Each structure stands twice: as C-alpha cells, then as structure tokens.
Amino acid sequence: MNIAGPVSAMTLAERARRAAKVAAEFADQVDTEGRFPREGMDALKAERLMGVMIRPELGGEAASMTEIADLCAILGQACASTAMTYAMHQIQIASLADYAVGSAWHEAFLKRICDEQLLIASATSEAGIGGNLRNSICAVDLDGETARLEKNATVISYGAMADAIIVTSRRNADAPHSDQIATLFLKEQYSLERTSVWDTLGMRGTCSDGYIFKAEAPAEQILPKPFAEIAAQSMLAVSHLLWGALWYGIAADAVARSQAFVKAAARKSPGQTPPGALRLAEASNLLQQVKANVVAGLKQFEAAKGDADALNAMSFSVAMNNIKVGTSQMILTIINHCMLICGIAAYKNGTPFSLGRHLRDAHSAQLMISNDRILGNTSTMLLVNKQDTSLLG
Ligand SMILES: Cc1cc2nc3c(=O)[nH]c(=O)nc-3n(C[C@H](O)[C@H](O)[C@H](O)COP(=O)(O)OP(=O)(O)OC[C@H]3O[C@@H](n4cnc5c(N)ncnc54)[C@H](O)[C@@H]3O)c2cc1C
C-alpha cells in the first residue's frame, strides 16, 4: 500500500533560494556586461514572488517585512543587482499596499501585480535635487481628470524594463518643493528619453540610467496620501531595512567565500592554523553585528507598523537612519577583511574566492542616499530628540 506523505507548500525562503540559484549563475555576466539580471528576475516571477507582500484578497500572500528582508538577504548572497532590483520593487509595493488602501484604481493594480508578476520602479531623484527624497522641482499639471508630468530623473533603476514607475513631484506648479505627491504611471502612459548611461563601479545590473520622463494619466493614479506621510512612515524605513538586508547578503557571501579559503588552507597543512583564520573570526564577528542591526530594526518596524505616532517618532527615524549608515559602512570593512584573507585569489576575477564584484557592489551602499545627507538629518533630530539609551526599548 502506498501512503502519501504530507504535502507541505514551499516556504517563501525556499522559493527565493531556487531563484537565487539562477541569479548566482548569471551574476558575473550581469556585472561584466552591465545588463539587467533577466534570468534572476524571471526566476523570481516564476516563483511568483513579486506580489507576496500584498494582501491575499488581492492575490498576494501577506508576507511581512521581515520575510521580505529575508528574501533580499538570500538574493544578496547570489547577485546584488537582482537583490537590489527586487528590494526596490518591494519598497514600492509597501507604499502602495499601505498608503493606497481604499483607492479602487490602486487596489486593482495591486491585483494585477500579483496576477501578472509586474515590476515597479521608482523615480525620486531629480536633477537639481540629487538624493533629497523630500524635495521635488517638477510638478504635476492637473487638467480636469488628467495628470501630466515631466521630470528630469537622474537615476531610475531598471526604468526601461519596468511595467510601471512611481514618480514623486510637487502637488502642483504653485506648491512648495516639499509639498509632494507620488503618482503611479503605467508603461504605456510614459516615454523615457535617456540622458545618462549607468556605467558604474558596481550594482551594474540595476541599469539605473537617467531619463527625461514624460507622462500623462488619469488623475486617480495619484496616491491618495501625501508623499510626506508615505516617506516618513514607510519608504525611508523600508528602504533602509531591505537595503540593509541585501547588503548583509553581499557581506555574508564574502565571508562564506573567505571561510572556504581558510578551510582549504587548513586541509593543505593539517595541524597548523591558517594565517587568515583570526581575521575570519573578526569578519564573522562584524557580520553578526550587521545581522543584529538589521534584525533589531525589523523588530522595531514590525512593532510600530500601523501606528502612525510610532512611525512618525524621531527616535524611530534616528534608529532607521542608524541602520542604513551602520550597515553600509560595516559591509565594506567586512569585505576588506575577506580580501585580506583570500589575497590575490579574491582580487582576481574568475576564482571561487573572487570578491571584486562584492566590493564594488557594496560601495554603492554609502552613496545610495548619501550617508552624509542621512547623518545630517540625524544630527538635526538629535538636537531636539533624546537618544534612546534603553537596551530593549
Ligand atoms: C544602485 C543605485 C540605484 C538607485 N536607484 C534609484 C532609483 O531607482 N530611483 C531614484 O530616484 N534614485 C535612485 N538612486 C539614486 C539615489 O537614491 C540617490 O539619489 C543618489 O545616490 C544620490 O546621488 P548624489 O550622490 O549625486 O546626490 P546628492 O544626494 O545630492 O549628494 C551629492 C553629494 O553631496 C553631499 N551632500 C548632499 N547633501 C548633503 C547634506 N545635506 N549633508 C551632507 N552632505 C550632503 C554628499 O556627500 C554627496 O556625496 C540609486 C542609486 C544607486 C547607487
């Protein structure tokens, strides 16, 4: 008699690991050619991971931010460009899922994301503004029920490959720079005229070219909440947490490679501790600090979720900013340690211990919303906000 075993659905992490395997296979090629990580992203779509954060009645799986961060960390260990593309898409989903509730148009679109596994990009950076997310020069021109927008967008990751782009702007031509809205434009509603090519040190597969973005769409596609609220309560925290998770992934893979190097050296000389072993212990220690930083931030975010006062609190913003600055700095130190452990085998491309791609990708972390800009914001908050000195609170 055949007894059927228990049927258990694959977890999100197991599905992400399958996609990560594909992404890892093409990571060096994506980096060398500076091309979109098509294979990794197709694998994520095949695993139906694009809309998992969306609520089940719209076709999603109600995945938590902690679960999404775990997927980003898994992908970060395979291909940082795939991981960053996935993370940036999820940052947009988080804004839509929580800050367009009750908007029939946006809810129908969320369902489409799940059904069709759509990819969403973001255009916040603007010529003359740089990485100052909370300011815009461009303004929506409302003509009856039609919204028109032109933006000199200096960086739109995977802009040419996206199915839709969420674009920040001023509410109208008379509004101050900080009175912003966010509008979701569908691919068929905009044109992109390329103004700069993303030929960079790292994160090359994100294809973050610059464009003159021109669009026209029904005004109902403007997100119902002011962008100030979306940025403060969702976008900044989610960005720092998901980026932190994938940056952890890059560093974790570097440590795994250097551990393999040290183990191989130990096998060659039994009875002798390889010279890199001590530094490996140090790298492991630093990696644990990055992990603890991201996990503590995720716990704080999950506890505050849905509580506007907690999300708006300065202490929350300071904590999220610290996660971004801390993780982005620490991963460089870790990968540098790994370089010293593996030596030329890390410096050279095409060895099992190569770390050039990791180091180059990791260098984007400090610039992706400049750490100096973030530290500037934190320092202003610390002039009035009491530093949280509790251990658990
Ligand atoms: C991999 C990657 C993908 C990206 N994808 C996107 C995307 O999809 N969409 C998008 O809109 N943007 C994207 N960006 C852009 C990013 O979010 C920032 O806007 C950009 O990195 C900032 O560019 P910047 O350094 O030229 O500008 P700025 O932020 O203007 O900074 C310029 C320099 O001035 C200094 N500076 C500026 N302001 C201050 C201040 N207040 N205090 C102290 N120093 C200051 C900093 O040291 C900084 O080096 C991406 C960036 C990267 C690296």
Side-chain angles (χ1 to χ4, degrees):
M1 188 174 72
N2 288 333
I3 301 172
V7 178
S8 61
M10 286 186 77
T11 63
L12 293 175
E14 283 166 340
R15 284 151 63 192
R17 268 186 218 107
R18 279 206 302 214
K21 204 160 172 254
V22 178
E25 205 180 311
F26 292 92
D28 284 335
Q29 199 185 97
V30 161
D31 173 58
T32 308
E33 296 173 10
R35 68 162 177 86
F36 184 65
R38 172 74 56 206
E39 298 82 358
M41 292 311 296
D42 281 351
L44 285 164
K45 290 180 181 185
E47 297 289 348
R48 303 206 62 81
L49 286 167
M50 302 303 281
V52 285
M53 213 191 324
I54 296 165
R55 48 188 202 275
E57 56 269 35
L58 299 176
E61 300 178 40
S64 67
M65 194 55 65
T66 304
E67 287 174 304
I68 299 293
D70 188 33
L71 306 190
C72 292
I74 290 168
L75 294 170
Q77 290 170 59
C79 168
S81 289
T82 306
M84 183 52 84
T85 302
Y86 186 70
M88 288 194 282
H89 164 80
Q90 294 302 342
I91 294 160
Q92 303 315 306
I93 302 264
S95 298
L96 280 175
D98 291 337
Y99 294 87
V101 177
S103 157
W105 191 90
H106 293 97
E107 293 198 341
F109 185 71
L110 283 166
K111 188 167 181 319
R112 273 193 65 197
I113 294 174
C114 297
D115 291 346
E116 300 168 41
Q117 296 293 294
L118 300 179
L119 176 64
I120 321 302
S122 142
T124 55
S125 303
E126 183 175 7
I129 294 282
N132 187 354
L133 185 77
R134 287 292 290 106
N135 265 290
S136 289
I137 295 172
C138 66
V140 157
D141 173 19
L142 264 185
D143 178 6
E145 287 306 303
T146 302
R148 289 192 189 87
L149 181 60
E150 180 169 338
K151 179 165 186 164
N152 187 348
T154 46
V155 194
I156 309 182
S157 290
Y158 54 92
M161 292 82 180
D163 298 297
I165 307 181
I166 298 184
V167 190
T168 51
S169 67
R170 282 185 293 147
R171 182 174 300 284
N172 56 52
D174 299 324
H177 291 307
S178 59
D179 183 8
Q180 292 167 291
I181 50 172
T183 311
L184 192 152
F185 291 101
L186 303 172
K187 197 174 187 64
E188 58 274 19
Q189 296 170 331
Y190 57 77
S191 65
L192 293 172
E193 183 195 324
R194 195 156 71 164
T195 52
S196 65
V197 176
W198 186 252
D199 181 5
T200 48
L201 195 64
M203 287 291 179
R204 293 172 54 78
T206 61
C207 298
S208 309
D209 296 339
Y211 298 98
I212 301 291
F213 171 94
K214 285 186 194 163
E216 183 177 313
E220 63 181 338
Q221 292 176 216
I222 299 172
L223 270 72
K225 300 270 187 189
F227 183 68
E229 202 175 307
I230 300 171
Q233 296 181 18
S234 172
M235 193 177 271
L236 278 167
V238 173
S239 299
H240 295 171
L241 291 169
L242 297 188
W243 293 347
L246 81 90
W247 295 335
Y248 163 78
I250 300 173
D253 190 55
V255 172
R257 286 179 186 216
S258 51
Q259 184 174 24
F261 183 89
V262 170
K263 278 185 169 176
R267 275 195 299 273
K268 269 193 215 151
S269 314
Q272 278 181 32
T273 307
L278 199 72
R279 223 174 250 288
L280 176 65
E282 208 180 354
S284 158
N285 169 15
L286 296 176
L287 186 67
Q288 189 171 321
Q289 291 181 40
V290 173
K291 182 171 170 168
N293 203 357
V294 176
V295 170
L298 286 166
K299 277 194 182 144
Q300 198 171 347
F301 180 81
E302 301 285 11
K305 198 161 189 287
D307 177 348
D309 287 344
L311 292 168
N312 281 328
M314 271 191 197
S315 55
F316 179 77
S317 298
V318 169
M320 295 300 130
N321 282 357
N322 284 341
I323 289 164
K324 195 275 175 178
V325 173
T327 52
S328 62
Q329 288 176 347
M330 189 78 91
I331 57 165
L332 286 173
T333 309
I334 294 171
I335 300 169
N336 198 40
H337 273 50
C338 297
M339 275 273 179
L340 286 167
I341 294 166
C342 303
I344 294 295
Y347 196 61
K348 261 172 101 170
N349 293 323
T351 85
F353 312 106
S354 297
L355 291 175
R357 172 165 55 81
H358 299 65
L359 193 61
R360 289 183 289 102
D361 287 339
H363 264 288
S364 68
Q366 298 185 95
L367 315 179
M368 200 167 177
I369 308 190
S370 162
N371 276 8
D372 282 356
R373 193 185 277 287
I374 294 177
L375 286 170
N377 290 340
T378 303
S379 60
T380 309
M381 288 190 276
L382 288 177
L383 289 177
V384 289
N385 185 63
K386 200 163 168 275
Q387 173 71 29
D388 179 7
T389 55
S390 67
L391 181 65
L392 305 177

